[in-house]
Amino acid sequence: MAMLAVISLKGGVGKTSVALGLAATAWAAGHRTLVIDLDPQANATAALDPKPYEFTSNDVLADGRTGIAEEAIVASGWGPGIDVIAGERALEHRGHAEGPESALRLRMTLSGALDRYHTVLIDCPPSLGELTRNALAAAPAALIVTEPSYFALQGAEQALEAVEVARAATNLALRPAGIVVNRVRRSAEHTYRLGELRRAYPALVLEPVIPDRTAMAAAQGAAVPITKLSATGARDLARRFTSLAANIEEALS
Ligand SMILES: Nc1ncnc2c1ncn2[C@@H]1O[C@H](COP(=O)(O)OP(=O)(O)O)[C@@H](O)[C@H]1O
Ligand SMILES: [Mg+2]
């Protein structure tokens, strides 16, 4: 599935959950997978339960040397074949541009470090600031996550704008991979908002949508991939993430 920056305007919409869901299904399919955690909250890092590590994405960005990210890659606790570059609180202080090249730091540090991975997911913080700009400069595609809420249309529009700005400024290869609609419930409001999104972005709203299921939080809390849980809800989520990954791949091919 290649490399995706997982972004959104707001927190709590499911960026980390979607990144972890896609990572789980890629890994379950036998693909070498790397998750790069750029969020100061480091939720993806906690869920992936990595082995003890010395360096984080914050250290990598502070260092900035070409290819240095290699030294921050650690094995996740899920099992062999899925690795992490951990996030940490200190990333909070990296939210502002420092000079014209500062959005390019992540890309420089990742240079040559990713060759062995089939799938690379960058979990971004809940804003379109400097860290997300670094992710958008480093990845060839951006996956936008939203909930089917009143603000979803506006949020998707702003996220797509940020992708366009990053494309023009730092990364001509960058494309939107699509919009994932997460936490969908069978309510009139959600059905309406989902319809609204599909009408506004017929080519970008990805199928399947991801329903609201307690298994999502259960998997994260237990630090296991969603593919390892046997509850009906977990199996449904795993199936959906597998189809979603296939559809993203097709959208980008
Ligand atoms: N599809 C879902 N069903 C149920 N809970 C979800 C779902 N997606 C996310 N959550 C829960 O919502 C909260 C926020 O999700 P998270 O992925 O951390 O969002 P973000 O990374 O955008 O801040 C977490 O507690 C997560 O477990
Ligand atoms: Mg998150």
Side-chain angles (χ1 to χ4, degrees), residues 3-143:
M3 181 175 185
L4 296 172
V6 184
I7 69 168
S8 77
L9 201 60
K10 303 200 300 154
V13 298
K15 268 179 310 301
T16 301
S17 302
V18 167
L20 291 170
L22 292 172
T25 54
W27 177 61
H31 300 312
R32 287 215 63 165
T33 301
L34 175 69
V35 177
I36 302 172
D37 192 351
L38 280 192
D39 187 351
Q41 291 185 36
N43 297 139
T45 303
L48 284 155
D49 189 26
K51 305 281 183 280
Y53 50 85
E54 199 172 346
F55 303 117
T56 67
S57 59
N58 183 61
D59 300 317
V60 166
L61 289 169
D63 183 303
R65 274 177 292 167
T66 305
I68 197 74
E70 178 89 53
E71 293 183 28
I73 295 176
V74 283
S76 92
W78 287 7
I82 178 156
D83 299 333
V84 196
I85 296 179
E88 64 167 322
R89 273 291 279 285
L91 281 164
E92 257 165 35
H93 308 299
R94 213 157 285 290
H96 303 286
E98 291 161 34
E101 304 280 270
S102 81
L104 300 175
R105 287 178 88 83
L106 181 67
R107 178 159 90 198
M108 290 292 290
T109 63
L110 290 173
S111 172
L114 303 178
D115 299 347
R116 64 181 185 274
Y117 295 103
H118 171 277
T119 298
V120 179
L121 294 150
I122 310 179
D123 190 23
C124 291
S127 75
L128 302 173
E130 182 66 6
L131 288 161
T132 298
R133 279 194 290 276
N134 265 273
L136 292 176
L143 188 66

